Amino acid sequence: MRGCGMAGWTYIAAAAEDRTAALLFGLYFGIMATLIVYNGILAYLLRSKSYLYYVYIHLSVLLFFFILNDTGSWLLRTDSAEWRAIAMMVSFFLMHAAALMFTRNILPLKDMHPLLDRIFVLLFALQPFLAAAALHPPADTAVVHFNSTAVNAAMFAAILAAFRRGFRMAKYFMMGWSVFVLTGIAALLGQAGVLPADWRIGDVF
């Protein structure tokens, strides 16, 4: 082993890190796949839109994760930088549309807060147009930031409104969504180079 030198140790360390990353990704994919299948079965058996939208969220997040981490490019045909950019934007806005649909369904906004309900409907209707606008630099960054801010602000407003009206599930929804938002921010900051851009930050997402 002494003869392997610094280059050999570097290769061994890189290979070990790649194996660990692959193991974590496989675990993540397995959990997501299990949640999709399980909630899909519940959606069918119970005829529940909430479970169906929950499946939609997991599918859109998984697609975004694939593209963000350059995983499965052969399957998604994102080897081209142009196609990867398009796929990234489409999956990003699909993810926000799913979040809007799920939140509007699980929190009874239509009866509880009609104004917020109309805002959710408007934001959902805007997603295809915002996705199209985001495909044209230099407006892409501004559109993405506007959409993320608007959707998250609307969701937190809905959660707070539900909590104030005694809707018990709002507390757990707030906890889950806060964790998702914080880890998503960490992943994006890692990709942007603001945080250390190693695979661990991507896997947190």
Side-chain angles (χ1 to χ4, degrees), residues 40-60:
I41 293 173
L42 290 178
Y44 175 76
L45 293 177
L46 301 176
R47 301 296 191 270
S48 170
K49 288 185 179 180
S50 295
Y51 286 110
L52 182 62
Y53 293 150
Y54 196 58
V55 170
Y56 179 19
I57 286 180
H58 285 304
L59 285 172
S60 60

Side-chain angles (χ1 to χ4, degrees), residues 2-201:
R2 289 181 180 179
C4 68
M6 183 62 70
W9 283 113
T10 302
Y11 174 79
I12 292 171
E17 183 170 305
D18 287 343
R19 284 196 298 271
T20 306
L23 179 63
L24 287 176
F25 174 75
L27 178 64
Y28 172 83
F29 179 81
I31 293 172
M32 292 291 283
T34 302
L35 288 171
I36 289 170
V37 172
Y38 176 72
N39 287 281
I41 293 173
L42 290 178
Y44 175 76
L45 293 177
L46 301 176
R47 301 296 191 270
S48 170
K49 288 185 179 180
S50 295
Y51 286 110
L52 182 62
Y53 293 150
Y54 196 58
V55 170
Y56 179 19
I57 286 180
H58 285 304
L59 285 172
S60 60
V61 169
L62 194 59
L63 176 62
F64 184 76
F65 179 85
F66 270 133
I67 300 168
L68 184 68
N69 292 276
D70 276 329
T71 306
S73 57
W74 60 273
L75 178 63
L76 301 173
R77 300 183 182 276
T78 56
D79 296 302
S80 163
E82 182 179 359
W83 276 108
R84 185 177 185 272
I86 293 174
M88 177 79 76
M89 286 300 176
V90 170
S91 63
F92 179 82
F93 285 93
L94 281 175
M95 189 167 56
H96 282 76
L100 289 167
M101 293 171 68
F102 178 71
T103 305
R104 183 172 179 256
N105 185 263
I106 201 169
L107 302 178
L109 290 182
K110 193 170 184 179
D111 300 324
M112 182 182 64
H113 204 301
L115 176 59
L116 271 175
D117 183 68
R118 288 193 289 271
I119 291 174
F120 267 69
V121 172
L122 175 62
L123 284 173
F124 178 77
L126 285 175
Q127 294 305 300
F129 301 100
L130 292 173
L135 295 176
H136 302 285
D140 52 348
T141 303
V143 172
V144 166
H145 288 168
F146 166 78
N147 191 64
S148 294
T149 302
V151 169
N152 282 290
M155 291 184 65
F156 279 118
I159 294 169
L160 289 175
F163 184 76
R164 290 180 61 185
R165 285 164 173 76
F167 194 69
R168 295 181 58 186
M169 189 177 291
K171 178 174 65 176
Y172 305 106
F173 194 96
M174 171 71 85
M175 292 169 58
W177 187 250
S178 297
V179 171
F180 177 79
V181 169
L182 291 174
T183 53
I185 290 173
L188 292 175
L189 289 177
Q191 290 290 323
V194 178
L195 295 178
D198 64 4
W199 58 265
R200 293 177 183 84
I201 290 177

